[in-house]
Amino acid sequence: RDLHLSLRRQRQMCIRDSFNPYDETEILSASIRSVGDVEHSFAQGADIVTMPPGIFAKMYNHVLTDVGIEIFDKDYANAIANK
């Protein structure tokens, strides 16, 4: 499995390198199977990533996201209360 992922990632890098940086070509990454695939796609220069809803949910539903939202909500409530 690791070799397969490594080969896919090398292929993605080669695709980005084969385009002229001054043209308007956009790279679309598909066949996403994990949150790591999404992260790697953007790290390698993908402009667009298509993914199943389940992968998007895994990206959104994260412990640190929940903590960040809680902190934001508290700060917002304090700011409104102090107006």
Side-chain angles (χ1 to χ4, degrees), residues 3-67:
L3 177 61
H4 175 71
L5 287 174
S6 177
L7 292 173
R8 275 182 49 204
R9 290 178 178 166
Q10 286 177 357
R11 190 170 51 233
Q12 286 175 337
M13 292 183 338
C14 293
I15 290 170
R16 170 54 80 191
D17 293 341
S18 68
F19 290 103
N20 180 341
Y22 302 105
D23 68 16
E24 295 182 19
T25 301
E26 291 185 319
I27 305 296
L28 181 138
S29 182
S31 296
I32 299 299
R33 294 186 176 93
S34 71
V35 171
D37 287 346
V38 176
E39 293 170 352
H40 187 78
S41 293
F42 283 124
Q44 294 302 321
D47 299 297
I48 302 165
V49 175
T50 62
M51 68 190 86
I55 299 297
F56 184 79
K58 287 180 183 177
M59 292 176 62
Y60 179 75
N61 295 326
H62 188 275
V63 173
L64 294 179
T65 301
D66 296 339
V67 170

Side-chain angles (χ1 to χ4, degrees), residues 72-83:
F72 177 85
D73 287 343
K74 287 178 186 175
D75 289 345
Y76 180 76
N78 288 337
I80 296 298
N82 292 328
K83 274 190 164 184

